[in-house]
Amino acid sequence: MMWRSSLLLFLLLLRHGAQGKPSPDAGPHGQGRVHQAAPLSEAPHDDAHGDFQYDHEAFLGRDVAKEFDQLSPEESQARLGRIVDRMDRAGDGDGWVSLAELRAWIAHTQQRHIRDSVSAAWDTYDTDRDGRVGWEELRNATYGHYAPGEEFHDVEDAETYKKMLARDERRFRVADQDGDSMATREELTAFLHPEEFAHMRDIVIAETLEDLDKNRDGYVQVEEYIGEEEPAWVQTERQQFRDFRDLNKDGRLDGKEVGHWVLPPSQDQPLVEANHLLQESDTDKDGRLSKAEILGNWNMFVGSQATNYGEDLTRHHDEL
């Protein structure tokens, strides 16, 4: 979930290096800039009816869960056993899977889409293949090469592009924590996905304020929050503003309130799911999982052709 100043990066990833500059008008509406934590799965959490699809997608990630659904039960269990070994090795390597190790694994799988997008961006922007992405590399690959003083002389809305460039550079400088103008993979991830990093919180809020604060008074008024259109849902939005956004009830949103809106506090979903899986699988109730305990409850962790068929039968029966 990005907003306008990094839209250029999304467009480049979609085009895989195609020529042309990012559109200054293609940014999402203000509603889309709210960064609610994505659910671990869109499937219903319905263990009571033998439907473990939510758990499968939470534990494996959605794409990998689909791959497991095509495996035989034997292959699915064998791969799960290797995952158990990986979880333990990534932790303390004591032969058990702790709650912390299980939570870390779930969080890791849920971040796979972010790692994939960063890998694609890395291939685009590390033009000299030195293992780092410099600001000049990113700028030139995105906006094109210009001589000093001639930036965007060949486009109609030059001022808009200059503002986009300045915003991107400012965000890059915040992501570049060691200040060497060269982004490591972690720093590029912070640039592309600032909502995932605590040290990027202020820049997320600043960009949101700049987008919405039309009169430049440093606050978001209710009219700015709603936008120019007045559709049927406007009264609901006004009520949302009054009841949930304007925390101090002064009729406007300051930076703290904008932060609470666009980066709301969220539940630690990986921890909740890890607790659930542990409680359902910890047969000896010692607060940790052995490999045997996980494999003994394997169909809650991963799917297979057999469990997928069984879930389909359950769904079909419920529909009758």
Side-chain angles (χ1 to χ4, degrees):
M1 297 179 290
M2 296 277 176
W3 48 110
R4 186 170 299 172
S5 75
S6 265
L7 174 69
L8 52 98
L9 295 164
F10 275 121
L11 294 177
L12 272 177
L13 293 178
L14 290 173
R15 293 182 318 212
H16 293 290
Q19 297 299 312
K21 294 180 178 60
S23 167
D25 300 318
H29 184 273
Q31 306 298 327
R33 61 171 48 85
V34 180
H35 295 280
Q36 295 280 5
L40 302 183
S41 169
E42 298 291 348
H45 206 170
D46 192 19
D47 294 358
H49 291 86
D51 185 351
F52 300 121
Q53 191 62 33
Y54 181 99
D55 299 301
H56 298 168
E57 293 183 3
F59 182 72
L60 296 169
R62 298 176 197 184
D63 291 339
V64 177
K66 290 178 182 178
E67 294 176 14
F68 269 74
D69 286 345
Q70 306 307 312
L71 302 177
S72 68
E74 295 76 17
E75 177 61 20
S76 186
Q77 291 177 67
R79 292 195 184 187
L80 175 59
R82 293 194 288 272
I83 290 174
V84 173
D85 294 338
R86 287 179 60 189
M87 284 192 289
D88 183 38
R89 285 199 304 270
D92 56 20
D94 65 352
W96 303 85
V97 174
S98 67
L99 176 63
E101 289 168 343
L102 188 52
R103 184 220 169 271
W105 171 262
I106 294 172
H108 175 79
T109 62
Q110 293 297 319
Q111 295 295 309
R112 186 176 289 117
H113 70 285
I114 291 178
R115 295 193 298 275
D116 290 346
S117 75
V118 172
S119 292
W122 195 268
D123 292 340
T124 299
Y125 292 110
D126 183 18
T127 54
D128 62 7
R129 299 296 183 259
D130 68 346
R132 298 183 298 173
V133 173
W135 165 244
E136 291 191 3
E137 286 180 295
L138 190 149
R139 180 194 65 198
N140 292 337
T142 302
Y143 293 100
H145 293 259
Y146 288 100
E150 296 185 3
E151 291 84 357
F152 308 117
H153 69 277
D154 55 344
V155 298
E156 292 184 6
D157 197 358
E159 289 305 311
T160 297
Y161 282 106
K162 287 179 181 179
K163 290 178 181 178
M164 291 172 65
L165 175 59
R167 278 174 58 132
D168 275 338
E169 182 172 9
R170 181 181 61 182
R171 188 195 284 194
F172 185 93
R173 300 304 178 195
V174 176
D176 178 27
Q177 289 193 286
D178 60 9
D180 65 354
S181 296
M182 303 293 293
T184 63
R185 191 171 290 266
E186 182 77 0
E187 289 170 336
L188 186 64
T189 303
F191 176 78
L192 288 168
H193 298 273
E195 69 280 1
E196 301 291 333
F197 294 81
H199 71 277
M200 300 295 290
R201 180 181 176 87
D202 288 347
I203 200 69
V204 172
I205 294 170
E207 291 178 4
T208 304
L209 273 170
E210 289 169 359
D211 286 343
L212 298 182
D213 180 21
K214 302 304 182 185
N215 64 7
R216 298 294 181 254
D217 67 348
Y219 298 91
V220 178
Q221 312 293 338
V222 64
E223 292 79 11
E224 294 168 328
Y225 168 80
I226 291 171
E228 296 178 1
E229 298 181 3
E230 290 281 329
W233 47 260
V234 69
Q235 283 303 116
T236 300
E237 285 300 308
R238 287 186 186 277
Q239 186 171 348
Q240 287 279 323
F241 184 94
R242 290 194 302 268
D243 295 347
F244 303 109
R245 310 289 182 235
D246 182 16
L247 301 178
N248 62 9
K249 307 305 178 188
D250 67 350
R252 60 190 185 179
L253 305 186
D254 58 24
K256 183 177 180 180
E257 290 166 326
V258 169
H260 193 273
W261 167 37
V262 300
L263 293 169
S266 59
Q267 188 181 49
D268 189 337
Q269 295 185 84
L271 179 60
V272 171
E273 177 64 12
N275 259 312
H276 169 65
L277 292 174
L278 189 147
Q279 293 298 322
E280 293 295 324
S281 307
D282 184 18
T283 55
D284 62 9
K285 304 305 177 186
D286 65 349
R288 58 185 183 177
L289 296 177
S290 66
K291 189 172 186 177
E293 285 175 322
I294 292 175
L295 292 177
N297 196 27
W298 69 275
N299 61 338
M300 177 172 277
F301 288 83
V302 299
S304 71
Q305 292 173 340
T307 56
N308 195 38
Y309 177 67
E311 289 165 3
D312 287 344
L313 285 180
T314 299
R315 294 191 192 98
H316 180 66
H317 181 270
D318 290 342
E319 292 169 358
L320 295 179

